[in-house]
């Protein structure tokens, strides 16, 4: 028997997107920790689940080197879907999200690449489209990295306000 679909998951489906299974941890950490009404969501990557139930990275490499801004944007969308899956795993129902507070994003950047903000818009745009301007628009830091684990284009952590 499947779980009932809430308003946020219904909206996701209307957007033509599907909530993936939460990515499997690649280290000794929790998917998220709730402290009071704040949920601190662990950093995650733009992975997808393959037919063998493995998390795979469909887009790999450095922005401004191997990858275009558009490819990085898509990887950030995959990452945002993974954040949503992690949040559901921790809080049970995405309708409990009052607003996205802050995203700290890291972009795997080749020397001279200066457009991390455009790459991370892949996640930010998804949150605004899904939750609306008031709940989805958030504070953000876009940081440049010379390497990310597994040759991921992007990684981000998220802070979320939950409803009482």
């Amino acid at each position: 028997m499947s779980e009932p679909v809430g308003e946020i998951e219904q909206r996701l489906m209307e957007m033509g997107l599907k909530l993936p299974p939460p990515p499997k941890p690649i280290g000794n950490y929790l998917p998220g920790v709730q402290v009071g009404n704040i949920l601190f969501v662990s950093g995650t990557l733009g992975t997808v689940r393959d037919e063998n139930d493995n998390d795979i990275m469909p887009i790999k490499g450095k922005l401004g080197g191997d990858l275009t801004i558009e490819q990085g944007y898509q990887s950030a969308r995959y990452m945002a879907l993974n954040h949503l899956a992690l949040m559901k795993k921790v809080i049970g129902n995405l309708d409990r999200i009052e607003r996205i507070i802050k995203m700290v994003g890291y972009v795997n950047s080749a020397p001279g690449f200066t457009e991390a903000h455009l790459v991370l818009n892949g996640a930010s745009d998804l949150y605004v489209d899904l939750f609306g301007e008031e709940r989805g628009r958030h504070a953000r830091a876009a940081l440049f990295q010379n390497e990310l684990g597994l040759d991921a284009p992007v990684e981000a952590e998220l802070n979320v306000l939950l409803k009482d």
Side-chain angles (χ1 to χ4, degrees):
M1 185 169 154
S2 64
E3 296 178 34
V5 175
E7 289 179 32
I8 294 299
E9 285 187 71
Q10 182 64 41
R11 173 80 181 117
L12 200 61
M13 288 188 284
E14 290 167 4
M15 292 168 58
L17 299 170
K18 183 179 177 192
L19 189 67
K24 298 172 186 173
I26 57 173
N28 186 13
Y29 59 89
L30 296 169
V33 173
Q34 183 177 343
V35 179
N37 283 2
I38 306 293
L39 177 62
F40 299 89
V41 185
S42 290
T44 194
L45 310 172
T47 58
V48 297
R49 194 68 59 89
D50 72 8
E51 64 278 351
N52 296 318
D53 200 36
N54 296 310
D55 291 324
I56 61 164
M57 191 99 47
I59 302 169
K60 288 184 176 186
K62 290 188 179 295
L63 276 295
D66 312 315
L67 303 176
T68 65
I69 290 171
E70 293 77 18
Q71 289 170 307
Y73 184 98
Q74 182 59 48
S75 185
R77 283 180 70 83
Y78 291 141
M79 177 189 71
L81 289 169
N82 284 335
H83 277 144
L84 293 166
L86 292 173
M87 287 187 271
K88 182 173 181 178
K89 181 175 183 172
V90 175
I91 64 174
N93 185 336
L94 296 177
D95 292 345
R96 291 190 54 210
I97 297 170
E98 179 72 26
R99 79 167 299 147
I100 307 296
I101 299 171
K102 183 175 183 181
M103 180 171 71
V104 178
Y106 306 89
V107 176
N108 188 357
S109 303
F113 182 73
T114 61
E115 307 293 339
H117 59 288
L118 297 177
V119 170
L120 291 175
N121 279 347
S124 295
D125 290 349
L126 190 145
Y127 297 136
V128 170
D129 291 345
L130 182 60
F131 292 100
E133 283 284 330
E134 189 151 322
R135 292 173 62 199
R137 196 163 225 194
H138 50 274
R140 185 176 84 183
L143 305 171
F144 299 87
Q145 296 295 124
N146 64 353
E147 299 289 338
L148 282 176
L150 306 177
D151 203 21
V154 295
E155 180 172 358
E157 58 187 90
L158 204 59
N159 299 332
V160 178
L161 177 65
L162 302 176
K163 295 175 183 175
D164 288 326

